Amino acid sequence: MATATNAPEFTVSELARALKKTVEDSYGHVRVRGELGRVTVAKSGHVYLDLKDEQAVIDGVVWKGMAAQLAFRPEEGLEVIAEGRLSTFPGRSKYQIIIDRMEPAGAGALMALLEERKKKLAAEGLFDPERKRALPFLPRTIGVITSPTGAVIRDILHRLEDRFPVHVLLWPVLVQGDRAAAQIVEAIQGFNSLPDNGPVHRPDVLIVARGGGSIEDLWCFNEESVVRAAAGSDIPLISAVGHETDTTLIDFASDRRAPTPTGAAEIAVPVRRELIERVDLAGSRLSGALRRSVDRKRSDLGALVRAMPRAENLLFDKRQRHDFVSQRFDTALKTGVERKRGRLETLAAGLRPAALQRDINQARRRMTEVSRRLQPAYGRQLRQHTREVASLGARLDSLSYKNVLARGFALVRDEAGGVVRAGSSLGEGQALMLTFADDATRRAVISDDPARPSAAPAARPARKKTAKKPPPEQGNLF
């Protein structure tokens, strides 16, 4: 049995309108600070966005007229201060803020982290254009790294089927969440580790793909490990993450960036039908060019044949010239033989015994004259060289140090055999060797005490005879 109640009954529309009026009356003007999440511009020009912080998200909308008056372009991750009013959308049972005014409040935490990571990886050279490789023109196998259940893989397969069917290897991975980055890195490295001639054909190009989403949804493609794996891939890699306006760090490290997953398939392979048409067109042009070339050569050959003289006329001149040369040849042969015969007779006359004997007698007289002149010349040269040698010997004797020793000097050497040139280099008790003009050698010891003799007894008479002080310039003599 139903329980009676006095509570009024509302229809769904009445309740929705009542909630809408209550929200709009209570929050007719609000000022909200938050980070922009997903930003979407509709074809109508209205801007739909999310305002969020660490714990909550509020839908927001900027109507076309107000959007045109904004001083900046709303971008995901930008921290803003929005002013407007709260309202509800009964068709979806959602509340939202109608934004009348919005200004930047600073970069969001995620965007700041993203920019810092981008600068770090760019400084390491991972984004340099020189690192990017060209894609193969017609790959036999394409490796796709994406979720196996989403629409992305179906879009890629359909586009490849339409353009140029090739073998596709799918490496299923998560494309969102904490484990997604590790799986994407494993997939890139796994494809690169496949052998060239293994049972599974190594892909010629890789496609890393995902559909659109917020910056949080796409954050795994900004992870440093994923970016380094993409930059270190030996297989050319195409990034197709998000929509055309979405940008992740893997886009900078990849060899090519596609605006959408479908666009990645278009970049990876050409259109088979267009290639066939190009080949057919090239074949037709080649056949036509060959046919025209043959026709032109045939026409040129006919024109040359008509311009050529008759064979009989060509041979007539040559035959007449042959007859003329034959006649001259006989005459020249006879003349040449007579000339050679006369030359031979002249040479034979010079080879007679009387002529040879005359040449021998003449050479013998010339040799006798040379012999007669040779002996006096040899004597003069010998005497001149003897005088020069004697003069050099005299000069050598005059410069010999033994002449100096003969005047009463002695040559001083240390125990090592070196010549002593200055007394300052000698020390107390140092032994010396004295050489005299008669090649006699005596040993002496240096002493600073005048009362003590510094030489052996056998050397004393020699020192008395050479008591004279040596000249200053002869300090090497004792």
Side-chain angles (χ1 to χ4, degrees):
M1 181 176 180
T3 302
T5 178
N6 293 327
E9 292 184 353
F10 292 95
T11 64
V12 175
S13 298
E14 289 174 345
L15 182 58
R17 286 195 294 270
L19 290 173
K20 180 179 178 69
K21 185 176 185 305
T22 301
V23 171
E24 290 180 349
D25 290 344
S26 301
Y27 301 95
H29 181 269
V30 293
R31 183 179 174 88
V32 183
R33 182 188 184 101
E35 181 181 330
L36 291 180
R38 181 182 303 184
V39 179
T40 304
V41 180
K43 293 182 179 179
S44 60
H46 306 320
V47 179
Y48 298 93
L49 50 85
D50 295 337
L51 274 176
K52 60 184 179 179
D53 57 14
E54 293 81 1
Q55 299 178 351
V57 178
I58 300 177
D59 291 344
V61 59
V62 183
W63 302 126
K64 178 180 179 181
M66 296 302 301
Q69 298 178 13
L70 292 177
F72 67 100
R73 179 181 177 182
E75 295 181 359
E76 186 173 353
L78 187 65
E79 189 174 1
V80 298
I81 298 175
E83 295 184 17
R85 56 187 174 86
L86 287 184
S87 181
T88 64
F89 180 48
R92 298 294 299 275
S93 298
K94 296 176 63 177
Y95 70 92
Q96 59 188 4
I97 178 172
I98 309 300
I99 299 174
D100 298 327
R101 184 173 180 272
M102 186 167 58
E103 59 185 13
L110 287 179
M111 293 301 294
L113 177 60
L114 179 64
E115 188 64 26
E116 181 181 356
R117 184 173 294 172
K118 179 181 177 181
K119 291 180 180 179
K120 172 187 174 183
L121 297 177
E124 295 181 16
L126 298 184
F127 303 156
D128 292 346
E130 295 78 9
R131 294 175 55 93
K132 301 184 183 299
R133 291 149 301 177
L135 302 179
F137 174 70
L138 188 60
R140 293 180 298 171
T141 303
I142 296 178
V144 180
I145 303 172
T146 188
S147 172
T149 59
V152 171
I153 185 61
R154 293 195 298 272
D155 293 342
I156 292 176
L157 293 177
H158 291 164
R159 181 59 62 168
L160 292 176
E161 185 69 24
D162 293 340
R163 290 175 65 86
F164 202 114
V166 295
H167 184 57
V168 176
L169 294 177
L170 171 63
W171 195 300
V173 296
L174 293 175
V175 292
Q176 183 176 341
D178 297 337
R179 295 183 299 164
Q183 293 188 9
I184 294 171
V185 171
E186 182 182 0
I188 295 175
Q189 295 176 350
F191 273 132
N192 278 271
S193 63
L194 291 176
D196 291 333
N197 299 321
V200 179
H201 190 271
R202 189 169 187 254
D204 301 310
V205 66
L206 299 181
I207 297 176
V208 180
R210 187 203 188 280
S214 64
I215 187 172
E216 292 87 353
D217 298 337
L218 304 179
W219 189 253
C220 61
F221 297 97
N222 293 319
E223 293 293 346
E224 186 172 338
S225 59
V226 175
V227 176
R228 292 187 183 279
S233 174
D234 294 330
I235 304 174
L237 187 144
I238 302 173
S239 65
V241 178
H243 300 302
E244 186 171 0
T245 56
D246 297 325
T247 302
T248 58
L249 294 183
I250 194 175
D251 297 333
F252 299 99
S254 61
D255 298 296
R256 286 287 297 276
R257 176 185 182 268
T260 60
T262 303
E266 295 175 354
I267 293 174
V269 296
V271 180
R272 183 174 182 271
R273 183 178 61 258
E274 293 179 357
L275 292 180
I276 294 175
E277 292 176 356
R278 288 171 58 185
V279 172
D280 292 341
L281 178 61
S284 300
R285 295 178 60 186
L286 179 61
S287 300
L290 182 60
R291 184 169 53 255
R292 289 190 298 272
S293 178
V294 171
D295 293 340
R296 184 168 58 254
K297 297 299 182 183
R298 183 181 293 111
S299 176
D300 294 342
L301 180 60
L304 291 174
V305 169
R306 289 191 297 272
M308 289 179 63
R310 299 180 61 183
E312 303 85 54
N313 295 337
L314 292 175
L315 294 177
F316 178 79
D317 292 340
K318 300 299 181 182
R319 186 181 296 113
Q320 186 176 10
R321 184 178 179 184
H322 177 267
D323 295 338
F324 178 71
V325 171
S326 297
Q327 295 177 358
R328 294 182 58 190
F329 177 75
D330 294 339
T331 304
L333 181 60
K334 295 178 180 179
T335 304
V337 170
E338 293 297 332
R339 186 182 303 111
K340 296 299 181 181
R341 181 181 291 112
R343 176 62 177 167
L344 181 60
E345 292 176 352
T346 302
L347 294 175
L351 294 176
R352 293 175 181 176
L356 293 176
Q357 185 63 39
R358 184 173 58 254
D359 295 339
I360 291 173
N361 294 335
Q362 184 178 359
R364 182 179 290 112
R365 287 193 299 272
R366 190 162 51 250
M367 185 175 62
T368 302
E369 179 64 22
V370 170
S371 299
R372 184 181 61 81
R373 296 170 56 189
L374 179 61
Q375 187 65 28
Y378 174 75
R380 288 193 301 273
Q381 290 290 331
L382 180 59
R383 289 190 295 275
Q384 180 179 353
H385 290 317
T386 302
R387 289 192 299 270
E388 292 177 355
V389 169
S391 175
L392 293 175
R395 292 176 61 186
L396 181 61
D397 291 338
S398 65
L399 296 176
S400 176
Y401 75 95
K402 291 187 176 182
N403 292 334
V404 179
L405 298 181
R407 296 200 298 271
F409 295 96
L411 180 62
V412 183
R413 292 187 176 90
D414 55 21
E415 289 184 328
V419 177
V420 178
R421 292 181 171 84
S424 59
S425 63
L426 302 177
E428 175 71 18
Q430 182 174 350
L432 300 177
M433 302 301 295
L434 306 180
T435 302
F436 298 93
D438 57 355
D439 292 333
T441 302
R442 295 293 183 270
R443 185 173 182 276
V445 178
I446 298 298
S447 175
D448 293 335
D449 187 2
R452 186 177 65 183
S454 60
R460 289 177 185 174
R463 290 180 60 87
K464 291 179 181 179
K465 293 180 181 179
T466 58
K468 290 194 293 183
K469 295 182 180 179
E473 66 274 9
Q474 297 177 346
N476 61 327
L477 298 177
F478 187 82

